[in-house]
Amino acid sequence: MVERVRGLLRMAEDPAVTDAESQAFTAKAAELMTRHAIAEAEARAERGEEPDAISRMDYTVSGMGGHGKARVRALADIAAAYGCQSAVRGNTSENTERVIILVGTVNALEALRMLLPSISMQMEASAKFMSSSHVTDIRELRNYTRSELETERKRYYRSFVRAYGRAVAERIRDFRARLQEMATADEAGGPVEGVDSARGADLVLQNDVHRVNEEFQKQFPQLRKHRPERTHSPAGYRAGYRRGRQAELGLETPVSSGGSSTLTEGE
């Protein structure tokens, strides 16, 4: 399964494919990883095994264009949809790289390690296109200075990215919930022992959330709260949320299936 996902993501990142093809490959990869996580929980519960181990992953986020804080916010939301907690090191408004530190189950982190680059690629491409179109549109309304247009472009871009991440996270969370519900419903229609298995899987997934929270608190008992970005573009946020809801993630398939060392809470 992991090799299939990696193959799909390699095709998604191939410059020779179209945007639609790239999104379709990422969509299938996301669906496979999500179904795999649910199936693993069910299998562990049925075998009476210990739950998935809790681990940690450091993920570097670009600060290019001064949009690093917005990117962290988006990726932290997506990671949370997979049941992970996050902190970030060096999350300034500069163009420098920063590191988002993710704590979660091994399965969840493996999914994020493979999926975040492709989801980020779609997000950045959409943000770049839409922010450029927005600036072109407002330029025709009146005589903006170059500085004013650049400020508006940045505000739009950052708001777009934050909203895109939120929308994608909502869809992943909803999809995972539907898969759990369907697994329970399918098992309930079968033998009695199947009901116990489905309930066991559900309890395992719920317990994962508590175990992740406990481990996160152990690793980061005293986090400094982040300062939210002050810049906001209502138009950019609306567009980003709309694009995030529409992005090809495979979730519409009918379910039968460097910098400062200061750590702050995931933006």
Side-chain angles (χ1 to χ4, degrees):
M1 188 281 305
V2 172
E3 286 305 314
R4 287 178 63 193
V5 169
R6 288 175 176 161
L8 288 165
L9 294 178
R10 280 194 296 269
M11 290 188 286
E13 295 166 10
D14 187 340
V17 304
T18 66
D19 288 343
E21 290 172 332
S22 176
Q23 291 191 27
F25 291 137
T26 303
K28 189 60 179 176
E31 181 181 338
L32 285 176
M33 292 300 293
T34 302
R35 293 180 185 277
H36 175 66
I38 303 298
E40 280 289 295
E42 290 176 349
R44 287 195 305 271
E46 186 174 352
R47 294 191 297 263
E49 296 178 354
E50 291 293 319
D52 197 12
I54 305 298
S55 188
R56 165 177 162 168
M57 178 178 80
D58 292 359
Y59 189 84
T60 301
V61 180
S62 170
M64 184 175 60
H67 307 315
K69 294 187 76 173
R71 294 185 182 105
V72 165
R73 174 73 270 171
L75 298 183
D77 281 349
I78 293 171
Y82 274 93
C84 298
Q85 293 270 9
S86 63
V88 58
R89 178 183 290 115
N91 198 29
T92 69
S93 299
E94 304 299 322
N95 295 344
T96 55
E97 290 183 341
R98 68 277 335 269
V99 176
I100 184 169
I101 304 164
L102 303 172
V103 175
T105 64
V106 171
N107 260 326
L109 294 178
E110 182 63 19
L112 291 171
R113 181 180 290 109
M114 290 192 283
L115 294 173
L116 286 183
S118 289
I119 293 175
S120 295
M121 181 178 66
Q122 291 184 38
M123 178 176 71
E124 296 288 342
S126 292
K128 182 177 180 180
F129 175 79
M130 293 299 292
S131 59
S132 295
S133 297
H134 175 68
V135 168
T136 298
D137 291 341
I138 66 172
R139 184 189 291 121
E140 298 175 356
L141 298 178
R142 67 180 178 87
N143 292 325
Y144 286 91
T145 66
R146 180 175 297 179
S147 176
E148 289 173 331
L149 288 172
E150 180 60 17
T151 296
E152 179 60 20
R153 186 191 68 78
K154 289 181 178 179
R155 290 175 64 244
Y156 187 99
Y157 196 108
R158 293 167 187 170
S159 297
F160 184 101
V161 166
R162 291 196 299 267
Y164 190 102
R166 175 190 167 192
V168 168
E170 286 178 358
R171 292 171 58 201
I172 291 172
R173 193 175 289 109
D174 292 345
F175 185 62
R176 286 165 63 88
R178 292 203 308 274
L179 283 178
Q180 287 177 247
E181 291 170 2
M182 288 300 296
T184 302
D186 287 347
E187 295 289 356
V192 174
E193 60 268 25
V195 179
D196 294 335
S197 172
R199 288 174 180 168
D202 191 55
L203 290 175
V204 167
L205 292 173
Q206 292 179 34
N207 187 44
D208 284 348
V209 174
H210 297 303
R211 293 189 303 115
V212 168
N213 289 341
E214 288 178 1
E215 180 61 27
F216 185 79
Q217 291 302 320
K218 288 179 183 178
Q219 293 196 28
F220 307 105
Q222 294 181 322
L223 283 181
R224 179 172 62 83
K225 293 289 184 178
H226 72 276
R227 292 183 179 179
E229 286 190 298
R230 297 179 180 178
T231 57
H232 181 66
S233 165
Y237 199 88
R238 287 194 298 270
Y241 187 83
R242 185 167 56 250
R243 280 297 182 99
R245 296 297 301 185
Q246 296 170 350
E248 288 287 349
L249 299 174
L251 307 184
E252 294 76 20
T253 306
V255 182
S256 55
S257 73
S260 166
S261 61
T262 302
L263 287 176
T264 58
E265 190 173 11
E267 233 214 332

PDB file of all heavy atoms in Angstrom, residues 65-96:
ATOM      1  N   GLY A  65       8.537  34.461   0.536  1.00  0.00           N
ATOM      2  CA  GLY A  65       7.497  35.454   0.318  1.00  0.00           C
ATOM      3  C   GLY A  65       6.930  36.038   1.594  1.00  0.00           C
ATOM      4  O   GLY A  65       5.996  36.835   1.563  1.00  0.00           O
ATOM      5  N   GLY A  66       7.495  35.626   2.752  1.00  0.00           N
ATOM      6  CA  GLY A  66       6.957  36.084   4.017  1.00  0.00           C
ATOM      7  C   GLY A  66       5.659  35.380   4.396  1.00  0.00           C
ATOM      8  O   GLY A  66       4.946  35.841   5.279  1.00  0.00           O
ATOM      9  N   HIS A  67       5.379  34.229   3.739  1.00  0.00           N
ATOM     10  CA  HIS A  67       4.118  33.531   3.972  1.00  0.00           C
ATOM     11  C   HIS A  67       4.268  32.313   4.880  1.00  0.00           C
ATOM     12  O   HIS A  67       3.373  31.474   4.942  1.00  0.00           O
ATOM     13  CB  HIS A  67       3.516  33.083   2.638  1.00  0.00           C
ATOM     14  CG  HIS A  67       3.368  34.176   1.637  1.00  0.00           C
ATOM     15  ND1 HIS A  67       2.870  35.414   1.953  1.00  0.00           N
ATOM     16  CD2 HIS A  67       3.672  34.218   0.305  1.00  0.00           C
ATOM     17  CE1 HIS A  67       2.866  36.182   0.866  1.00  0.00           C
ATOM     18  NE2 HIS A  67       3.341  35.478  -0.139  1.00  0.00           N
ATOM     19  N   GLY A  68       5.400  32.201   5.572  1.00  0.00           N
ATOM     20  CA  GLY A  68       5.660  31.019   6.382  1.00  0.00           C
ATOM     21  C   GLY A  68       4.643  30.777   7.479  1.00  0.00           C
ATOM     22  O   GLY A  68       4.238  29.644   7.725  1.00  0.00           O
ATOM     23  N   LYS A  69       4.222  31.829   8.181  1.00  0.00           N
ATOM     24  CA  LYS A  69       3.264  31.655   9.273  1.00  0.00           C
ATOM     25  C   LYS A  69       1.920  31.140   8.753  1.00  0.00           C
ATOM     26  O   LYS A  69       1.267  30.319   9.404  1.00  0.00           O
ATOM     27  CB  LYS A  69       3.078  32.979  10.017  1.00  0.00           C
ATOM     28  CG  LYS A  69       4.324  33.448  10.754  1.00  0.00           C
ATOM     29  CD  LYS A  69       4.051  34.665  11.612  1.00  0.00           C
ATOM     30  CE  LYS A  69       3.322  34.289  12.878  1.00  0.00           C
ATOM     31  NZ  LYS A  69       3.176  35.429  13.811  1.00  0.00           N
ATOM     32  N   ALA A  70       1.507  31.614   7.595  1.00  0.00           N
ATOM     33  CA  ALA A  70       0.256  31.136   7.010  1.00  0.00           C
ATOM     34  C   ALA A  70       0.370  29.661   6.631  1.00  0.00           C
ATOM     35  O   ALA A  70      -0.567  28.874   6.825  1.00  0.00           O
ATOM     36  CB  ALA A  70      -0.104  31.971   5.787  1.00  0.00           C
ATOM     37  N   ARG A  71       1.528  29.277   6.087  1.00  0.00           N
ATOM     38  CA  ARG A  71       1.731  27.874   5.717  1.00  0.00           C
ATOM     39  C   ARG A  71       1.697  26.980   6.959  1.00  0.00           C
ATOM     40  O   ARG A  71       1.114  25.888   6.932  1.00  0.00           O
ATOM     41  CB  ARG A  71       3.063  27.708   4.988  1.00  0.00           C
ATOM     42  CG  ARG A  71       3.123  28.410   3.633  1.00  0.00           C
ATOM     43  CD  ARG A  71       4.431  28.118   2.901  1.00  0.00           C
ATOM     44  NE  ARG A  71       4.477  28.830   1.629  1.00  0.00           N
ATOM     45  CZ  ARG A  71       5.212  29.915   1.395  1.00  0.00           C
ATOM     46  NH1 ARG A  71       5.981  30.411   2.363  1.00  0.00           N
ATOM     47  NH2 ARG A  71       5.191  30.504   0.214  1.00  0.00           N
ATOM     48  N   VAL A  72       2.325  27.425   8.036  1.00  0.00           N
ATOM     49  CA  VAL A  72       2.319  26.650   9.276  1.00  0.00           C
ATOM     50  C   VAL A  72       0.891  26.454   9.775  1.00  0.00           C
ATOM     51  O   VAL A  72       0.502  25.364  10.197  1.00  0.00           O
ATOM     52  CB  VAL A  72       3.186  27.345  10.349  1.00  0.00           C
ATOM     53  CG1 VAL A  72       2.904  26.773  11.736  1.00  0.00           C
ATOM     54  CG2 VAL A  72       4.663  27.185  10.013  1.00  0.00           C
ATOM     55  N   ARG A  73       0.100  27.519   9.728  1.00  0.00           N
ATOM     56  CA  ARG A  73      -1.288  27.430  10.174  1.00  0.00           C
ATOM     57  C   ARG A  73      -2.053  26.382   9.364  1.00  0.00           C
ATOM     58  O   ARG A  73      -2.780  25.548   9.914  1.00  0.00           O
ATOM     59  CB  ARG A  73      -1.951  28.790  10.020  1.00  0.00           C
ATOM     60  CG  ARG A  73      -3.440  28.858  10.292  1.00  0.00           C
ATOM     61  CD  ARG A  73      -3.755  28.738  11.758  1.00  0.00           C
ATOM     62  NE  ARG A  73      -3.963  27.360  12.190  1.00  0.00           N
ATOM     63  CZ  ARG A  73      -4.081  26.996  13.456  1.00  0.00           C
ATOM     64  NH1 ARG A  73      -3.985  27.894  14.421  1.00  0.00           N
ATOM     65  NH2 ARG A  73      -4.278  25.734  13.782  1.00  0.00           N
ATOM     66  N   ALA A  74      -1.869  26.409   8.055  1.00  0.00           N
ATOM     67  CA  ALA A  74      -2.573  25.476   7.178  1.00  0.00           C
ATOM     68  C   ALA A  74      -2.151  24.040   7.441  1.00  0.00           C
ATOM     69  O   ALA A  74      -2.992  23.136   7.576  1.00  0.00           O
ATOM     70  CB  ALA A  74      -2.326  25.843   5.716  1.00  0.00           C
ATOM     71  N   LEU A  75      -0.845  23.800   7.526  1.00  0.00           N
ATOM     72  CA  LEU A  75      -0.356  22.434   7.710  1.00  0.00           C
ATOM     73  C   LEU A  75      -0.666  21.906   9.105  1.00  0.00           C
ATOM     74  O   LEU A  75      -0.927  20.708   9.280  1.00  0.00           O
ATOM     75  CB  LEU A  75       1.149  22.386   7.434  1.00  0.00           C
ATOM     76  CG  LEU A  75       1.564  22.767   6.010  1.00  0.00           C
ATOM     77  CD1 LEU A  75       3.065  22.610   5.834  1.00  0.00           C
ATOM     78  CD2 LEU A  75       0.816  21.943   4.969  1.00  0.00           C
ATOM     79  N   ALA A  76      -0.652  22.781  10.107  1.00  0.00           N
ATOM     80  CA  ALA A  76      -1.011  22.353  11.463  1.00  0.00           C
ATOM     81  C   ALA A  76      -2.473  21.913  11.512  1.00  0.00           C
ATOM     82  O   ALA A  76      -2.820  20.942  12.194  1.00  0.00           O
ATOM     83  CB  ALA A  76      -0.754  23.484  12.457  1.00  0.00           C
ATOM     84  N   ASP A  77      -3.336  22.617  10.800  1.00  0.00           N
ATOM     85  CA  ASP A  77      -4.748  22.230  10.749  1.00  0.00           C
ATOM     86  C   ASP A  77      -4.913  20.853  10.100  1.00  0.00           C
ATOM     87  O   ASP A  77      -5.686  20.009  10.568  1.00  0.00           O
ATOM     88  CB  ASP A  77      -5.554  23.266   9.966  1.00  0.00           C
ATOM     89  CG  ASP A  77      -5.869  24.503  10.792  1.00  0.00           C
ATOM     90  OD1 ASP A  77      -5.646  24.473  12.016  1.00  0.00           O
ATOM     91  OD2 ASP A  77      -6.326  25.503  10.203  1.00  0.00           O
ATOM     92  N   ILE A  78      -4.183  20.631   8.996  1.00  0.00           N
ATOM     93  CA  ILE A  78      -4.272  19.345   8.299  1.00  0.00           C
ATOM     94  C   ILE A  78      -3.736  18.225   9.187  1.00  0.00           C
ATOM     95  O   ILE A  78      -4.324  17.135   9.265  1.00  0.00           O
ATOM     96  CB  ILE A  78      -3.505  19.414   6.964  1.00  0.00           C
ATOM     97  CG1 ILE A  78      -4.218  20.387   6.004  1.00  0.00           C
ATOM     98  CG2 ILE A  78      -3.387  18.028   6.334  1.00  0.00           C
ATOM     99  CD1 ILE A  78      -3.432  20.706   4.745  1.00  0.00           C
ATOM    100  N   ALA A  79      -2.615  18.485   9.884  1.00  0.00           N
ATOM    101  CA  ALA A  79      -2.051  17.480  10.787  1.00  0.00           C
ATOM    102  C   ALA A  79      -3.034  17.151  11.914  1.00  0.00           C
ATOM    103  O   ALA A  79      -3.181  15.995  12.311  1.00  0.00           O
ATOM    104  CB  ALA A  79      -0.730  17.976  11.363  1.00  0.00           C
ATOM    105  N   ALA A  80      -3.720  18.172  12.419  1.00  0.00           N
ATOM    106  CA  ALA A  80      -4.693  17.954  13.489  1.00  0.00           C
ATOM    107  C   ALA A  80      -5.831  17.056  13.017  1.00  0.00           C
ATOM    108  O   ALA A  80      -6.383  16.270  13.798  1.00  0.00           O
ATOM    109  CB  ALA A  80      -5.241  19.295  13.977  1.00  0.00           C
ATOM    110  N   ALA A  81      -6.187  17.159  11.741  1.00  0.00           N
ATOM    111  CA  ALA A  81      -7.248  16.309  11.194  1.00  0.00           C
ATOM    112  C   ALA A  81      -6.837  14.842  11.198  1.00  0.00           C
ATOM    113  O   ALA A  81      -7.691  13.951  11.214  1.00  0.00           O
ATOM    114  CB  ALA A  81      -7.598  16.747   9.776  1.00  0.00           C
ATOM    115  N   TYR A  82      -5.533  14.579  11.196  1.00  0.00           N
ATOM    116  CA  TYR A  82      -5.018  13.213  11.292  1.00  0.00           C
ATOM    117  C   TYR A  82      -4.751  12.812  12.742  1.00  0.00           C
ATOM    118  O   TYR A  82      -4.124  11.788  12.996  1.00  0.00           O
ATOM    119  CB  TYR A  82      -3.738  13.073  10.469  1.00  0.00           C
ATOM    120  CG  TYR A  82      -3.992  12.743   9.020  1.00  0.00           C
ATOM    121  CD1 TYR A  82      -4.089  13.739   8.056  1.00  0.00           C
ATOM    122  CD2 TYR A  82      -4.139  11.419   8.593  1.00  0.00           C
ATOM    123  CE1 TYR A  82      -4.336  13.443   6.722  1.00  0.00           C
ATOM    124  CE2 TYR A  82      -4.377  11.103   7.267  1.00  0.00           C
ATOM    125  CZ  TYR A  82      -4.474  12.129   6.336  1.00  0.00           C
ATOM    126  OH  TYR A  82      -4.723  11.825   5.021  1.00  0.00           O
ATOM    127  N   GLY A  83      -5.186  13.649  13.691  1.00  0.00           N
ATOM    128  CA  GLY A  83      -5.032  13.316  15.101  1.00  0.00           C
ATOM    129  C   GLY A  83      -3.693  13.695  15.689  1.00  0.00           C
ATOM    130  O   GLY A  83      -3.330  13.192  16.760  1.00  0.00           O
ATOM    131  N   CYS A  84      -2.951  14.571  15.024  1.00  0.00           N
ATOM    132  CA  CYS A  84      -1.627  14.974  15.505  1.00  0.00           C
ATOM    133  C   CYS A  84      -1.670  16.326  16.216  1.00  0.00           C
ATOM    134  O   CYS A  84      -2.530  17.160  15.932  1.00  0.00           O
ATOM    135  CB  CYS A  84      -0.635  15.059  14.345  1.00  0.00           C
ATOM    136  SG  CYS A  84      -0.362  13.477  13.502  1.00  0.00           S
ATOM    137  N   GLN A  85      -0.721  16.541  17.112  1.00  0.00           N
ATOM    138  CA  GLN A  85      -0.517  17.826  17.765  1.00  0.00           C
ATOM    139  C   GLN A  85       0.748  18.454  17.188  1.00  0.00           C
ATOM    140  O   GLN A  85       1.651  17.735  16.750  1.00  0.00           O
ATOM    141  CB  GLN A  85      -0.361  17.644  19.273  1.00  0.00           C
ATOM    142  CG  GLN A  85      -1.616  17.161  19.960  1.00  0.00           C
ATOM    143  CD  GLN A  85      -2.493  18.315  20.424  1.00  0.00           C
ATOM    144  OE1 GLN A  85      -2.248  19.471  20.101  1.00  0.00           O
ATOM    145  NE2 GLN A  85      -3.519  17.994  21.181  1.00  0.00           N
ATOM    146  N   SER A  86       0.833  19.790  17.214  1.00  0.00           N
ATOM    147  CA  SER A  86       1.995  20.432  16.602  1.00  0.00           C
ATOM    148  C   SER A  86       2.494  21.619  17.395  1.00  0.00           C
ATOM    149  O   SER A  86       1.736  22.313  18.080  1.00  0.00           O
ATOM    150  CB  SER A  86       1.653  20.882  15.174  1.00  0.00           C
ATOM    151  OG  SER A  86       0.616  21.853  15.200  1.00  0.00           O
ATOM    152  N   ALA A  87       3.815  21.836  17.303  1.00  0.00           N
ATOM    153  CA  ALA A  87       4.475  23.035  17.795  1.00  0.00           C
ATOM    154  C   ALA A  87       5.385  23.492  16.662  1.00  0.00           C
ATOM    155  O   ALA A  87       5.629  22.738  15.710  1.00  0.00           O
ATOM    156  CB  ALA A  87       5.287  22.742  19.056  1.00  0.00           C
ATOM    157  N   VAL A  88       5.879  24.712  16.745  1.00  0.00           N
ATOM    158  CA  VAL A  88       6.717  25.208  15.646  1.00  0.00           C
ATOM    159  C   VAL A  88       7.885  26.014  16.199  1.00  0.00           C
ATOM    160  O   VAL A  88       7.735  26.774  17.150  1.00  0.00           O
ATOM    161  CB  VAL A  88       5.885  26.046  14.639  1.00  0.00           C
ATOM    162  CG1 VAL A  88       5.218  27.223  15.312  1.00  0.00           C
ATOM    163  CG2 VAL A  88       6.742  26.515  13.461  1.00  0.00           C
ATOM    164  N   ARG A  89       9.032  25.813  15.595  1.00  0.00           N
ATOM    165  CA  ARG A  89      10.247  26.520  15.983  1.00  0.00           C
ATOM    166  C   ARG A  89      10.606  27.559  14.916  1.00  0.00           C
ATOM    167  O   ARG A  89      10.589  27.269  13.727  1.00  0.00           O
ATOM    168  CB  ARG A  89      11.409  25.552  16.147  1.00  0.00           C
ATOM    169  CG  ARG A  89      12.735  26.212  16.502  1.00  0.00           C
ATOM    170  CD  ARG A  89      13.876  25.225  16.584  1.00  0.00           C
ATOM    171  NE  ARG A  89      13.739  24.357  17.746  1.00  0.00           N
ATOM    172  CZ  ARG A  89      13.540  23.052  17.678  1.00  0.00           C
ATOM    173  NH1 ARG A  89      13.409  22.466  16.503  1.00  0.00           N
ATOM    174  NH2 ARG A  89      13.451  22.330  18.779  1.00  0.00           N
ATOM    175  N   GLY A  90      10.892  28.790  15.372  1.00  0.00           N
ATOM    176  CA  GLY A  90      11.339  29.826  14.444  1.00  0.00           C
ATOM    177  C   GLY A  90      10.242  30.378  13.578  1.00  0.00           C
ATOM    178  O   GLY A  90      10.492  30.756  12.429  1.00  0.00           O
ATOM    179  N   ASN A  91       9.034  30.483  14.115  1.00  0.00           N
ATOM    180  CA  ASN A  91       7.888  30.909  13.306  1.00  0.00           C
ATOM    181  C   ASN A  91       7.755  32.435  13.310  1.00  0.00           C
ATOM    182  O   ASN A  91       6.879  33.002  13.959  1.00  0.00           O
ATOM    183  CB  ASN A  91       6.608  30.262  13.829  1.00  0.00           C
ATOM    184  CG  ASN A  91       5.485  30.305  12.817  1.00  0.00           C
ATOM    185  OD1 ASN A  91       5.732  30.304  11.609  1.00  0.00           O
ATOM    186  ND2 ASN A  91       4.252  30.324  13.288  1.00  0.00           N
ATOM    187  N   THR A  92       8.634  33.086  12.563  1.00  0.00           N
ATOM    188  CA  THR A  92       8.625  34.543  12.470  1.00  0.00           C
ATOM    189  C   THR A  92       7.994  34.981  11.161  1.00  0.00           C
ATOM    190  O   THR A  92       7.558  34.151  10.358  1.00  0.00           O
ATOM    191  CB  THR A  92      10.057  35.099  12.549  1.00  0.00           C
ATOM    192  OG1 THR A  92      10.767  34.736  11.332  1.00  0.00           O
ATOM    193  CG2 THR A  92      10.803  34.517  13.739  1.00  0.00           C
ATOM    194  N   SER A  93       7.957  36.288  10.949  1.00  0.00           N
ATOM    195  CA  SER A  93       7.418  36.828   9.699  1.00  0.00           C
ATOM    196  C   SER A  93       8.483  36.956   8.623  1.00  0.00           C
ATOM    197  O   SER A  93       8.219  37.499   7.546  1.00  0.00           O
ATOM    198  CB  SER A  93       6.778  38.200   9.964  1.00  0.00           C
ATOM    199  OG  SER A  93       5.719  38.084  10.877  1.00  0.00           O
ATOM    200  N   GLU A  94       9.687  36.467   8.905  1.00  0.00           N
ATOM    201  CA  GLU A  94      10.782  36.549   7.940  1.00  0.00           C
ATOM    202  C   GLU A  94      10.623  35.502   6.842  1.00  0.00           C
ATOM    203  O   GLU A  94       9.770  34.621   6.908  1.00  0.00           O
ATOM    204  CB  GLU A  94      12.121  36.367   8.659  1.00  0.00           C
ATOM    205  CG  GLU A  94      12.365  37.357   9.792  1.00  0.00           C
ATOM    206  CD  GLU A  94      12.386  38.791   9.311  1.00  0.00           C
ATOM    207  OE1 GLU A  94      12.905  39.034   8.211  1.00  0.00           O
ATOM    208  OE2 GLU A  94      11.883  39.667  10.026  1.00  0.00           O
ATOM    209  N   ASN A  95      11.501  35.598   5.843  1.00  0.00           N
ATOM    210  CA  ASN A  95      11.465  34.661   4.720  1.00  0.00           C
ATOM    211  C   ASN A  95      12.222  33.366   5.011  1.00  0.00           C
ATOM    212  O   ASN A  95      12.418  32.551   4.113  1.00  0.00           O
ATOM    213  CB  ASN A  95      12.059  35.305   3.467  1.00  0.00           C
ATOM    214  CG  ASN A  95      11.237  36.476   2.977  1.00  0.00           C
ATOM    215  OD1 ASN A  95      10.085  36.639   3.367  1.00  0.00           O
ATOM    216  ND2 ASN A  95      11.825  37.308   2.137  1.00  0.00           N
ATOM    217  N   THR A  96      12.652  33.184   6.244  1.00  0.00           N
ATOM    218  CA  THR A  96      13.457  32.021   6.598  1.00  0.00           C
ATOM    219  C   THR A  96      12.582  30.780   6.809  1.00  0.00           C
ATOM    220  O   THR A  96      11.385  30.874   7.070  1.00  0.00           O
ATOM    221  CB  THR A  96      14.248  32.296   7.890  1.00  0.00           C
ATOM    222  OG1 THR A  96      13.333  32.690   8.920  1.00  0.00           O
ATOM    223  CG2 THR A  96      15.253  33.409   7.666  1.00  0.00           C
TER     224      THR A  96
END
